[in-house]
Amino acid sequence: MESIYLIGFMGAGKTTVGKALADCLAIPVFDIDEEIEKKENRSISEIFEHQNEAYFRTLETKTLQELPRENAIITTGGGVVTRIENREAIKKQGKAIFLFATAEEIMKRLEEDDSRPLLRGDKKRNISELYEARMSFYKEIADFIIDTTDKKTSEIVKEIVDCLKQSC
Ligand code: S3P
């Protein structure tokens, strides 16, 4: 089976759903941000602080290319779709499942979260600008879109598994 890429905005639930989906399918899960942190031996926030976004994006592209293209779940960072080479790689390498939530829902979910470097400052404005800029990219490469609003992780996993069975 080709690898499954979970894509979507920050706060969409990619990492949580990815772990549960991997358990359910009994295949390994790789989180691109975690892989980068392991390689760099520092947090994503520190990378953004001491280097810059471009440096992080290059690590992200490299990591995406290195991860298994078969029999794995790959959970991505929300900005992976901003580079065309990443979008092409995901489209070519596997199935992309887009975990959707509205900008308002994302704002609620991330209200208390200060871990995302790109949301520092005016969080509301930053979310709406990035959301607006990225939504078409997620839709462009998605093989399947799942609305995560008001759904438990287990329900989302079930929807993905059903969808994979029908090979949608
Ligand atoms: C980013 C999302 C983050 C992380 C980094 C940049 C983005 O991952 O990769 O802070 O540009 O949307 P999550 O989507 O898991 O929060």
Side-chain angles (χ1 to χ4, degrees):
M1 180 184 75
E2 52 185 6
S3 287
I4 298 161
Y5 294 79
L6 295 188
I7 60 168
F9 204 79
M10 293 174 257
K14 302 175 297 281
T15 307
T16 309
V17 170
K19 284 185 183 142
L21 181 62
D23 273 354
C24 177
L25 297 176
I27 56 176
V29 59
F30 298 89
D31 181 79
I32 293 184
D33 282 349
E34 269 176 34
E35 295 298 317
I36 292 173
E37 289 181 333
K38 269 194 255 164
K39 261 195 229 170
E40 288 280 301
N41 203 20
R42 53 189 172 154
S43 68
I44 301 294
S45 287
E46 283 170 321
I47 298 172
F48 270 81
E49 227 167 86
H50 299 298
Q51 314 283 331
N52 52 31
E53 185 176 351
Y55 178 87
F56 169 77
R57 295 290 167 213
T58 300
L59 290 171
E60 188 175 48
T61 298
K62 209 162 168 275
T63 309
L64 173 68
Q65 283 161 0
E66 288 163 359
L67 290 173
R69 295 171 187 203
E70 289 197 338
N71 300 318
I73 309 291
I74 314 288
T75 56
T76 62
V80 76
V81 294
T82 56
R83 280 198 176 177
I84 185 166
E85 61 201 299
N86 296 346
R87 299 201 296 279
E88 284 173 355
I90 292 173
K91 248 181 171 166
K92 195 165 126 215
Q93 283 166 214
K95 274 217 172 309
I97 312 272
F98 170 28
L99 299 186
F100 173 84
T102 62
E104 293 67 34
E105 174 68 22
I106 298 282
M107 278 180 211
K108 263 195 256 158
R109 291 183 195 175
L110 298 182
E111 211 168 353
E112 304 296 319
D113 184 301
D114 286 322
S115 68
R116 269 91 170 179
L118 290 179
L119 300 184
R120 298 220 168 107
D122 188 340
K123 193 188 277 180
K124 248 187 169 172
R125 204 186 69 191
N126 295 341
I127 289 178
S128 55
E129 284 180 3
L130 290 173
Y131 189 92
E132 180 73 26
R134 293 172 176 179
M135 206 38 54
S136 61
F137 292 144
Y138 299 128
K139 289 184 181 156
E140 172 195 318
I141 62 168
D143 288 294
F144 193 65
I145 302 176
I146 299 215
D147 187 351
T148 64
T149 316
D150 295 330
K151 282 182 196 152
K152 290 188 213 140
T153 301
S154 57
E155 291 172 310
I156 297 170
V157 167
K158 189 177 175 310
E159 261 188 60
I160 297 175
V161 171
D162 288 348
C163 164
L164 292 171
K165 272 188 203 147
Q166 292 158 32
S167 192
C168 33

